[in-house]
Amino acid sequence: PVIVRYFDELARAIPDGVWITAVDRKGNTLTIDGVAESYNRVASFMRNLEASDWYASPNLSSVQAAPDQGEDASTFKMTVETSAPVDPAAEAAKAAQ
């Protein structure tokens, strides 16, 4: 099932020091809310999503300091598009038709 792959890839993309507090899906867009130990952790999370075959175009919509969560902690909100990877064999078969 494709949904299992999306959740597996999301879990693999989350670096240490990042906690997801909410995920909402509308169409092909996921909205992710979370807390990170530092802004660098958020940037790492975005790079991991961009490198994934299952996600594309991460966009950070807000970051706010969260001193109650830790000295350099931030809450964040981002969106990312879901995109299933392209199978080269299937693409070659389509092109041959």
Side-chain angles (χ1 to χ4, degrees):
V2 173
I3 192 68
V4 173
R5 289 297 306 203
Y6 282 122
F7 277 110
D8 183 55
E9 283 295 313
L10 182 62
R12 291 174 191 270
I14 301 169
D16 289 338
V18 174
W19 296 271
I20 303 301
T21 57
V23 176
D24 183 40
R25 181 176 179 189
K26 290 187 178 151
N28 288 338
T29 303
L30 286 180
T31 301
I32 302 170
D33 295 344
V35 178
E37 288 179 347
S38 68
Y39 182 77
N40 288 339
R41 307 278 181 159
V42 176
S44 179
F45 183 33
M46 291 181 69
R47 282 191 299 273
N48 292 347
L49 288 171
E50 185 68 39
S52 170
D53 290 336
W54 292 86
Y55 294 100
S57 306
N59 183 28
L60 191 59
S61 53
S62 72
V63 176
Q64 295 182 338
D68 57 320
Q69 301 288 328
E71 187 176 326
D72 295 327
S74 301
T75 59
F76 65 90
K77 183 174 202 146
M78 73 170 63
T79 59
V80 65
E81 301 294 321
T82 57
S83 64
V86 176
D87 179 6
E91 287 296 310
K94 276 186 192 177
Q97 291 178 351

